[in-house]
Amino acid sequence: MTQLPCYIVWDPSESLFSILGFEVRYYSLCWVIGLLAGYKIMQHLYKRQNVSMELFEPLFMYCFLGILIGARLGHCLFYEFEYYSGHILEMLLPMKETADGWKFIGYQGLASHGGTIGLFIALWVYTLRTKLSFPWLLDNIAITTPIVAGMIRMGNFFNSEILGNVTDMPWGVVFAQVDQLPRHPAQLYEAIAYFVIFIGGLLLYRKYPSKVGSLFYFGYCLATIFTFRFFVEFLKEVQSSFEEGMALDMGQWLSIPFMIIGITCMVKGFRKETAKK
């Protein structure tokens, strides 16, 4: 008699707890944990490289706003433009207009490619104000970024979103709030990969600290994250109806330029050594 696979059933509540009607959601908590981890790591890098803490203090707010605004606009413009073009306020407000009025729902729908672009813009503005080297800052941010990206994907897993394709693998997950089909836990694949990339970046930094400022670490971050993102997309359900029938989905098309830029910067950065701030 053939034994049927024993799949994992995933059916968490969206909220960890509620205070005075305000819900603290797992997704938001994962974002906060990721950003705080990134904050502490960047603080350590600034101290290790003898950069003033006065220059470091405003960095967190620049990164937070750049990632959040960029990721939100990226989702609205790349994946659901038809809807949000008629609901402009919902692009930036963590609320949704319903038949019963406006309802707080948090930012449901954030695109990593948009967050990356938003972060670049925010860091560029930050370096203009602080007079720090933009390549130097990009390299340090790149060492930190994968752990933040990993925590965001953990949040997606708690939210039962960005689903994988149906699978018969024994580690398939049934997202009970969506359907009763076992699927690839693509969010966990990405989270684990990003944590491994983070560890790899730290090990490279310990071995080649003089390459900070050469864009080597910036290239490493882009090349590894978006190459993995490109291939894991083959295991995901399409996120928008317009992607049906496409040989490559939107996430893969958006990943290609980041992959090319990353590989180019990594190769060129490995050939030179500079640690100028």
Side-chain angles (χ1 to χ4, degrees), residues 147-161:
I147 197 169
V148 182
M151 288 307 303
I152 291 172
R153 281 296 179 254
M154 290 297 297
N156 295 138
F157 183 70
F158 276 105
N159 257 15
S160 298
E161 60 189 4

Side-chain angles (χ1 to χ4, degrees), residues 92-141:
L92 297 177
L93 297 178
M95 305 179 74
K96 185 177 183 65
E97 189 175 13
T98 67
D100 299 322
W102 287 89
K103 179 182 178 182
F104 178 85
I105 61 170
Y107 286 112
Q108 296 183 350
L110 300 168
S112 58
H113 299 90
T116 302
I117 296 170
L119 178 62
F120 288 164
I121 295 172
L123 293 178
W124 177 68
V125 174
Y126 167 82
T127 55
L128 289 179
R129 295 181 62 87
T130 60
K131 307 304 180 184
L132 289 171
S133 164
F134 190 47
W136 174 86
L137 183 62
L138 286 180
D139 269 348
N140 280 294
I141 284 288

Side-chain angles (χ1 to χ4, degrees), residues 168-238:
D168 57 2
M169 295 296 182
W171 58 82
V173 175
V174 175
F175 293 92
Q177 297 173 14
V178 180
D179 55 33
Q180 298 302 308
L181 301 174
R183 298 178 177 276
H184 282 288
Q187 316 95 323
L188 294 185
Y189 296 165
E190 286 193 72
I192 293 169
Y194 299 160
F195 293 144
V196 171
I197 290 169
F198 168 70
I199 294 171
L202 283 183
L203 294 176
L204 285 170
Y205 172 69
R206 290 186 63 181
K207 187 171 183 178
Y208 304 109
S210 64
K211 292 192 181 297
V212 172
S214 69
L215 292 180
F216 171 76
Y217 295 102
F218 172 69
Y220 166 80
C221 181
L222 290 187
T224 52
I225 284 181
F226 287 104
T227 296
F228 186 85
R229 173 71 188 272
F230 180 88
F231 287 106
V232 80
E233 289 292 315
F234 288 114
L235 300 178
K236 292 182 184 178
E237 287 279 310
V238 296

Side-chain angles (χ1 to χ4, degrees), residues 30-46 56 59-60 63 67 140-141 143-149 151 198:
C30 287
W31 260 83
V32 171
I33 292 172
L35 289 172
L36 287 178
Y39 175 89
K40 296 302 293 183
I41 295 164
M42 278 298 293
Q43 186 180 57
H44 172 73
L45 292 174
Y46 267 60
F56 170 74
L59 179 62
F60 178 82
C63 292
I67 293 171
N140 280 294
I141 284 288
I143 295 170
T144 304
T145 294
I147 197 169
V148 182
M151 288 307 303
F198 168 70

Side-chain angles (χ1 to χ4, degrees), residues 11-30:
D11 189 21
S13 94
E14 290 185 347
S15 304
L16 180 61
F17 57 84
S18 178
I19 300 178
L20 300 176
F22 181 81
E23 295 182 340
V24 176
R25 301 192 174 194
Y26 287 102
Y27 181 74
S28 301
L29 185 62
C30 287

